[in-house]
Amino acid sequence: KKIIEYLFLNGIEGDILEIGAHEGNSTIPFLEIAMKFGRVVHVIDPYNGNQQGSKSVYETFIDRTKGYSNLSFNRTESQSEDGLNIIRNNKFAYSFIDGLHEHDPLISDIKNAFLSTSIGGLLCIDDTEMPGLMESIDIVKSSFSDMEILEKPTTSNINLPHDFKYGEFNSAHKKFEFL
């Protein structure tokens, strides 16, 4: 949350993108910080039974997020035409990828979100400890010369030049989860 606030305070343009929201555990803090800065949180999640997208999980998400006017919720797959239009037609200061944890969808989500992440913004990827996900991330990284990983950025130790997009290290998982 502090990193997102730092991005907003330093003039990084755009909203927040969340691909894969589950019950809204990360959505709620995203909505709170976005509201403080007049930004929108764009959530894309089909809740179609894949992975953990059951009806009860969907209902929990809806219940937890119902009071937020700055939520743009899109019940669609991120690789669908509607999902791609949402990603491609917006700019994001912060993008959080926690969607389908499979090779092809992950590569698609990273590439599309990266292209819509503002210069100086952060693209974050969750659950990279899952088998095969780091290999997918490495494939994407090789496609973009301006993608750089920063280890453990905090508001006190990062200086964001405006010509790079950054990543973050999740100390809870002790692995890179963010590009």
Side-chain angles (χ1 to χ4, degrees):
K1 194 170 171 182
K2 287 182 180 184
I3 293 288
I4 298 171
E5 184 174 46
Y6 182 84
L7 295 171
F8 290 162
L9 286 171
N10 282 278
I12 304 302
E13 296 179 12
D15 293 321
I16 296 173
L17 170 65
E18 182 177 25
I19 297 176
H22 196 246
E23 293 180 339
N25 294 334
S26 54
T27 310
I28 300 301
F30 293 163
L31 287 164
E32 294 290 332
I33 195 72
M35 185 182 306
K36 181 177 174 181
F37 289 92
R39 311 286 178 106
V40 174
V41 178
H42 299 266
V43 173
I44 300 173
D45 196 318
Y47 292 99
N48 60 4
N50 285 339
Q51 290 182 175
Q52 300 169 354
S54 68
K55 181 179 179 186
S56 66
V57 169
Y58 170 70
E59 289 169 352
T60 300
F61 172 83
I62 293 300
D63 185 57
R64 294 179 79 194
T65 59
K66 66 184 169 194
Y68 291 93
S69 61
N70 63 329
L71 172 65
S72 172
F73 172 60
N74 306 276
R75 191 172 180 182
T76 188
E77 293 181 1
S78 56
Q79 294 86 34
S80 71
E81 187 174 333
D82 289 340
L84 291 172
N85 284 334
I86 293 158
I87 297 168
R88 292 175 180 161
N89 293 327
N90 289 284
K91 274 294 189 194
F92 303 104
Y94 186 85
S95 299
F96 185 71
I97 312 263
D98 192 14
L100 201 55
H101 297 10
E102 297 172 5
H103 180 77
D104 291 337
L106 178 62
I107 287 177
S108 175
D109 286 347
I110 296 170
K111 284 183 175 182
N112 289 310
F114 183 76
L115 293 171
S116 294
T117 298
S118 296
I119 300 298
L122 286 170
L123 171 67
C124 306
I125 303 165
D126 196 21
D127 300 324
T128 60
E129 74 279 2
M130 294 182 74
L133 293 191
M134 282 307 296
E135 291 80 5
S136 300
I137 292 166
D138 288 339
I139 289 169
V140 175
K141 281 177 40 185
S142 68
S143 302
F144 297 101
S145 62
D146 57 345
M147 186 180 286
E148 181 177 311
I149 292 180
L150 258 187
E151 186 173 341
K152 301 181 186 180
T154 67
T155 56
S156 63
N157 76 357
I158 70 172
N159 180 16
L160 294 174
H162 293 287
D163 58 347
F164 280 112
K165 299 175 188 176
Y166 287 98
E168 195 169 302
F169 181 82
N170 184 325
S171 58
H173 289 140
K174 303 207 180 343
K175 292 184 181 248
F176 282 107
E177 292 192 337
F178 300 49
L179 291 178

